[in-house]
Amino acid sequence: MRNDISVYEEGADLEGTLTYGTLFIEPQTQHMIDLFMKEHPGVKIETKVVFDNDVTDEQYNEGLNTLLTELASDQRADIYDATYLPSEIKTKGSGYFEDLNQYIDADPNFNRDDYYDNILRAAEVDGKLYQIPEVFIMLCFG
C-alpha cells in the first residue's frame, strides 16, 4: 500500500516509513539515506535492493524480472531509483511513475530557481518529471 505523500512544512517533524527500491544501491545513496534518517528520527527508510553490483547478465535479467513483477503488484516501493532501469520502464506509457511536478509545485519550500533548469528538464518525458537526477557527471578530456 502506498504511503500518503504530503508537502513538507518547515519546522514540522516528519514521521513514517518510506520504501526505496533500486536494482543496485550506490554507497553515496545509502549515505544520503542514513543522513536523512539521522536528521529526521521519526522517518524510517527501508531499502529494497534487487542485487549487489557484481552480477552476471543472467542474474541482472532475473533481478529485472523480479522488479517488474514487484512494480505491477501492491508490494512495490514508494520511491524507485530509475538509474539502472531500462528506458521502456521509465516512460510515461509504462504507468509505473507519477509526475513529480505536482509535488514540487505544491511545496512552498521547493524553489525551482535553486536548480539549473537543464538538470530537471533532462529527466522530463513529454513535459512530465518522473525522476530527479541524483548526480550529474561532467567528463572533460584534455
Side-chain angles (χ1 to χ4, degrees):
M1 177 170 260
R2 188 181 146 216
N3 290 343
D4 288 329
I5 299 174
S6 61
V7 175
Y8 171 68
E9 294 180 26
E10 195 158 345
D13 290 331
L14 297 177
E15 57 183 41
T17 300
L18 188 68
T19 53
Y20 175 82
T22 183
L23 288 179
F24 167 72
I25 192 161
E26 299 280 359
Q28 68 269 21
T29 302
Q30 184 62 56
H31 180 68
M32 288 187 292
I33 289 170
D34 295 340
L35 288 175
F36 186 88
M37 288 192 299
K38 183 176 180 181
E39 185 175 331
H40 303 281
V43 175
K44 177 165 177 45
I45 299 176
E46 297 174 351
T47 55
K48 297 175 84 171
V49 180
V50 176
F51 53 69
D52 293 325
N53 65 343
D54 189 24
V55 296
T56 65
D57 287 344
E58 183 177 319
Q59 289 169 320
Y60 174 84
N61 289 330
E62 286 176 19
L64 187 57
N65 285 333
T66 299
L67 180 61
L68 290 173
T69 302
E70 181 182 295
L71 281 169
S73 76
D74 61 355
Q75 301 300 313
R76 62 188 163 272
D78 299 306
I79 296 174
Y80 279 93
D81 178 348
T83 304
Y84 300 105
L85 297 180
S87 58
E88 63 270 13
I89 296 173
K90 296 191 276 189
T91 64
K92 71 174 186 172
S94 74
Y96 292 125
F97 299 102
E98 284 188 273
D99 181 11
L100 297 176
N101 284 315
Q102 62 185 323
Y103 301 109
I104 291 171
D105 295 341
D107 188 339
N109 298 308
F110 190 102
N111 185 353
R112 288 181 185 269
D113 293 336
D114 292 341
Y115 297 86
Y116 292 108
D117 284 348
N118 58 333
I119 292 174
L120 295 178
R121 281 196 323 268
E124 285 185 349
V125 176
D126 295 330
K128 302 211 186 274
L129 185 65
Y130 296 111
Q131 64 181 344
I132 296 178
E134 178 181 318
V135 65
F136 259 68
I137 299 171
M138 184 181 298
L139 299 176
C140 297
F141 298 98

